[in-house]
Amino acid sequence: MIRKTRIILEMIKVEHTVFALPFAFMGAMIGAVMQEQRLPDWAEIGWILLAMIGARSAAMGLNRVIDRVMDAKNPRTAKRAIPAGLLKAGEVVVFIAVSFVVLFIAASQLDPICMMLMPVAVFFLVLYSYSKRFTWLCHVVLGITIGLAPLGGWIAVTGHLNAAAWVLYGSVVFWLAGFDTIYACQDFEFDRRERVHSIPARFGLAGGLRIARVFHLLTAIGFISLYWMTDLSWLYLIGAIASVGFLGYQHLLVKPNDISRVQTAFFTMNGALSITLFAFTLLDLVVLHEW
């Protein structure tokens, strides 16, 4: 059981939670402060955390089951749990079902609108894994899916959205789309050979990286815009500027003729971005505001 648990945690890349979870908390905090003049309470934070665990675990499990044949063909992914025979597809399906139950329970404890919108989240969780089979915009579909984290956090504590919530959502959508495009450069040759859709496969490595830069420019504009659209102060702005720096630096790491540092650009830079922006937002709302 311990061995299986370890394999499952490796399968769902639990360390990659650092990408979406900070933005879920950001959405909850900014929304609560802007619309209710308070910070989320610990119960809300706990249920949001549990919902994120359920949603992300289900999403990763679905991706591994749906892509198992494709993963077996790709040398980069052939050692993943299912194609390597470490887990059976049926075992992962059970894990997915449990994850959805966790998501359902958590959503039921938050604002009632969360239960109403949960089918939308589930739809996009499933759609992403299939999108690479029919559109090179699959990276944007991933962004739309993961971007639901801050939108969900916001609506979980307020019950409704405003313009700033949508700007935060859009910023995360294009952030994810951009770095997933960079990540897909690793599979450029495989995707073209197997007719898997991706931006690098469609437009080439140079074209794909240019499109990723455009995505991240939109993200930078969104992060900075939140400074003027919300009650966030100069402390948040410092974090936003630092995050824009992380965006820019990852584009210096990966070039069309040298993609050897994709992993550094993917995990290190983007993990640092999400943690930095969350930390400065937290400090801004907790230290500079009186409650």
Side-chain angles (χ1 to χ4, degrees):
M1 181 62 70
I2 294 175
R3 177 175 173 273
K4 289 283 187 181
T5 301
R6 186 171 62 251
I7 293 171
I8 288 173
L9 291 177
E10 169 60 26
M11 178 193 71
I12 65 173
K13 297 293 182 184
V14 67
E15 67 274 14
H16 290 180
T17 305
V18 73
F19 296 144
L21 187 59
F23 283 102
F25 289 149
M26 274 184 61
M29 291 190 304
I30 298 172
V33 169
M34 280 194 68
Q35 297 182 215
E36 299 185 4
Q37 295 300 303
R38 67 178 180 90
L39 287 172
D41 60 42
W42 287 109
E44 289 170 327
I45 291 295
W47 290 118
I48 290 171
L49 174 61
L50 195 63
M52 284 293 298
I53 291 172
R56 191 185 178 283
S57 298
M60 289 299 294
L62 280 166
N63 182 262
R64 295 301 187 253
V65 170
I66 293 169
D67 282 354
R68 63 190 185 279
V69 175
M70 189 183 302
D71 285 345
K73 295 179 181 180
N74 188 342
R76 186 180 66 83
T77 58
K79 293 183 179 180
R80 285 178 175 172
I82 298 178
L86 301 177
L87 290 173
K88 296 178 182 178
E91 293 174 322
V92 180
V93 169
V94 172
F95 173 76
I96 293 167
V98 172
S99 298
F100 274 129
V101 169
V102 170
L103 173 60
F104 178 87
I105 292 172
S108 70
Q109 300 302 309
L110 294 165
D111 191 280
I113 197 171
C114 292
M115 288 295 291
M116 297 171 59
L117 295 178
M118 195 173 71
V120 177
V122 173
F123 170 77
F124 280 106
L125 290 177
V126 175
L127 176 64
Y128 166 66
S129 293
Y130 286 105
S131 62
K132 67 187 72 172
R133 289 161 170 78
F134 60 85
T135 178
W136 51 264
L137 289 171
C138 55
H139 316 285
V140 178
V141 176
L142 176 66
I144 290 171
T145 304
I146 306 300
L148 293 173
L151 212 59
W154 191 299
I155 208 167
V157 298
T158 67
H160 54 282
L161 303 168
N162 64 14
W166 288 108
V167 169
L168 177 60
Y169 175 63
S171 301
V172 176
V173 167
F174 288 112
W175 170 56
L176 265 296
F179 81 67
D180 192 58
T181 299
I182 295 173
Y183 189 73
C185 289
Q186 298 176 104
D187 295 328
F188 167 72
E189 294 180 358
F190 174 83
D191 288 349
R192 281 196 165 176
R193 185 173 65 250
E194 296 293 328
R195 298 185 180 181
V196 177
H197 294 271
S198 73
I199 287 178
R202 173 65 178 80
F203 298 99
L205 291 177
L209 291 174
R210 282 194 295 270
I211 292 172
R213 285 195 290 271
V214 173
F215 286 158
H216 283 165
L217 176 61
L218 295 173
T219 296
I221 293 171
F223 285 163
I224 299 299
S225 297
L226 285 171
Y227 169 70
W228 283 281
M229 298 180 70
T230 66
D231 296 326
L232 294 164
S233 70
W234 59 269
L235 198 54
Y236 165 82
L237 185 59
I238 292 174
I241 293 171
S243 297
V244 172
F246 287 125
L247 283 175
Y249 186 62
Q250 66 184 285
H251 288 278
L252 296 177
L253 291 176
V254 182
K255 298 177 174 60
N257 60 350
D258 181 11
I259 60 171
S260 61
R261 292 189 286 180
V262 164
Q263 287 293 337
T264 300
F266 171 71
F267 185 75
T268 306
M269 291 300 102
N270 291 296
L273 182 154
S274 62
I275 292 173
T276 297
L277 194 60
F278 168 70
F280 276 89
T281 302
L282 179 64
L283 287 172
D284 190 317
L285 296 178
V286 172
V287 175
L288 297 186
H289 289 70
E290 296 181 2
W291 305 103

